[in-house]
Amino acid sequence: MQAAATALLVLSQVAATSCIGLRNLTSSPQETIDNTRPVGNNIISHDHTFTTEFLGLQLANNSASHRDLGFTGQLGGQWYAVYGDVLWCAPGVKDPAQDPPGFHGMVRDAISLCTDNPLVVHDLHLDSEGRQQQFVPYNEEWGEAADFGFGGTSLVEVDGETNTGALFYLINGNKTGYRGAGIAKVQLVDGAPTVTHRSGDRGYWWDANTTARYGDIAAFRDPRSDYVYAWGGAPMNITDWVQAAYVYQCRVKAADAFDITRYEYWWGRQMGWKSEPPATFTAETAVMWMSGQGQVVWNQHLGCYVFVRLGPMTNEVLLRTAPQHEGPWSDDVKVFNATPIGQDGMTYAGVAHPYLDPSGRSMVISYTNNNNIEVIRVTFDE
Ligand SMILES: *[C@@H]1O[C@H](CO)[C@@H](O)[C@H](O)[C@H]1NC(C)=O
Ligand SMILES: *[C@@H]1O[C@H](CO)[C@@H](O)[C@H](O)[C@H]1NC(C)=O
Ligand SMILES: *[C@@H]1O[C@H](CO)[C@@H](O)[C@H](O)[C@H]1NC(C)=O
Ligand SMILES: *[C@@H]1O[C@H](CO)[C@@H](O)[C@H](O)[C@H]1NC(C)=O
Ligand SMILES: *[C@@H]1O[C@H](CO)[C@@H](O)[C@H](O)[C@H]1NC(C)=O
């Protein structure tokens, strides 16, 4: 489980039903502006019918582990999936379904090459025993240890000439709590995306206690502009569960991604983009509420941005649409009902695979189901 998913799932146990009604009760009366409420028509329900098929489990063709997330992103003309916790299978096991019970070791995140088969990825950074190594390395000089999590979202390309990418991540100190959100430089080393630098004095920029955890919910390299967008959960010192579930966004020109002074922060539709992070964390300065982790893509067929996510605790794969990243986002359309695997199986983290159909006529989507990655395909009508 990654940081955000855990927090949101805990929250959503309280909020699973009638979120709007509960939110009314706890909102302060003077809070009249709510930029997180759905506005406009969801392009999908309004203009399109669709069919959804379940494709199966995504597996690696060269390694076996149980894993979550797998957010996709592009670098140097290839697409890669970034996973969260990767629980290795026992030595010699080729199929995770055949893994004997027990703990066989793990890393906190990993990266794999996507293939043209939605059910197959190729694991990268394997050790001599064929086990996948951690993608974002921890740094003991910053007081980090092997149990630190680095919840990453999508790899974003920031310089196509030098094949340089970036990964936003949230540092989870495990026993010591969340430190902050940061960004890593990713370069191709021996053909494999590799973290070559982590920005910030202690490997992060945005203190988790006082600023939004940018990049923790989603990250997106917009193919239609120069920008990278990152969405993140509220600061951790906000303890009211309603306020803690708002989602904030920032952006930066891709070429400036490693310069924190070039970031712009969204303060809501009334105040727009500013060079300082928001001073207040409210329904006005937020862009979404209780979204869970997901992925934003531009869909050529629909002519809009689509945010892919799972309803917290509902096992529903949901799509919302917007004309631009700032929103307003529409309400959600349910495209699939996932079936949790196992008694305590949890489904979360909506992942898009746009490289499989650049036309946008169909969308391949994956999500986590109890440490398995399941894949569906949604096909829109003409
Ligand atoms: C509660 O939210 C609903 C839906 O947005 C809105 O129509 C209604 O006016 C709100 N009620 C109160 C008391 O704020
Ligand atoms: C796994 O997939 C990669 C990428 O498509 C391919 O290069 C490799 O040959 C495949 N490996 C096996 C064992 O099939
Ligand atoms: C995090 O801390 C808990 C409690 O001390 C421990 O049980 C768990 O194994 C740790 N997680 C990792 C990934 O080491
Ligand atoms: C965040 O606040 C908690 C509680 O005050 C504190 O223990 C922790 O050290 C703070 N984290 C950082 C990164 O400053
Ligand atoms: C969180 O920390 C910020 C910065 O120190 C402070 O302004 C704010 O009042 C704190 N919020 C809460 C709910 O403690």
Side-chain angles (χ1 to χ4, degrees), residues 178-179 204 207 209:
Y178 300 118
R179 284 196 173 178
Y204 63 91
D207 185 325
N209 277 339

Side-chain angles (χ1 to χ4, degrees), residues 88-295:
W88 297 330
C89 290
V93 170
K94 296 240 166 13
D95 177 359
Q98 307 299 321
D99 193 30
F103 179 69
H104 314 293
M106 72 181 293
V107 290
R108 302 308 307 273
D109 55 75
I111 190 165
S112 303
L113 175 67
C114 299
T115 74
D116 55 12
N117 180 344
L119 302 181
V120 178
V121 296
H122 184 69
D123 285 354
L124 300 172
H125 299 294
L126 300 186
D127 69 8
S128 58
E129 293 172 72
R131 300 174 307 195
Q132 211 169 7
Q133 298 302 287
Q134 184 153 313
F135 182 46
V136 181
Y138 65 89
N139 183 346
E140 284 172 354
E141 283 174 24
W142 294 329
E144 296 172 348
D147 69 343
F148 272 47
F150 296 89
T153 45
S154 300
L155 183 63
V156 291
E157 186 167 88
V158 298
D159 182 358
E161 304 265 299
T162 60
N163 293 331
T164 302
L167 181 80
F168 295 94
Y169 53 78
L170 174 65
I171 304 175
N172 177 357
N174 196 23
K175 296 176 193 74
T176 51
Y178 300 118
R179 284 196 173 178
I183 188 171
K185 181 181 281 188
V186 177
Q187 291 170 296
L188 292 177
V189 177
D190 297 332
T194 303
V195 171
T196 54
H197 181 74
R198 291 175 50 200
S199 296
D201 293 341
R202 295 181 70 214
Y204 63 91
W205 276 341
W206 296 291
D207 185 325
N209 277 339
T210 53
T211 41
R213 294 164 277 148
Y214 294 108
D216 165 41
I217 297 282
F220 177 52
R221 173 68 171 92
D222 183 8
R224 304 174 74 235
S225 74
D226 293 337
Y227 284 96
V228 167
Y229 288 79
W231 291 262
M236 298 305 295
N237 77 345
I238 294 176
T239 50
D240 175 86
W241 71 268
V242 173
Q243 303 299 321
Y246 285 113
V247 174
Y248 300 88
Q249 67 179 341
C250 69
R251 71 173 182 184
V252 67
K253 290 220 165 117
D256 300 326
F258 303 114
D259 180 352
I260 192 174
T261 67
R262 307 301 289 272
Y263 277 71
E264 294 177 279
Y265 302 87
W266 184 243
W267 286 56
R269 292 206 292 282
Q270 295 70 26
M271 293 188 277
W273 293 104
K274 298 188 185 207
S275 56
E276 299 293 324
T280 58
F281 297 93
T282 64
E284 178 176 350
T285 54
V287 70
M288 293 186 203
W289 185 72
M290 200 171 278
S291 64
Q293 286 182 293
Q295 215 175 319

Side-chain angles (χ1 to χ4, degrees), residues 291-331:
S291 64
Q293 286 182 293
Q295 215 175 319
V296 173
V297 285
W298 167 257
N299 185 294
Q300 189 63 41
H301 181 70
L302 303 173
C304 62
Y305 293 95
V306 179
F307 181 51
V308 181
R309 69 191 196 103
L310 270 80
M313 300 305 283
T314 66
N315 306 310
E316 295 173 339
V317 181
L318 302 170
L319 304 181
R320 58 177 63 177
T321 62
Q324 65 270 319
H325 320 73
E326 293 84 352
W329 289 89
S330 72
D331 57 2

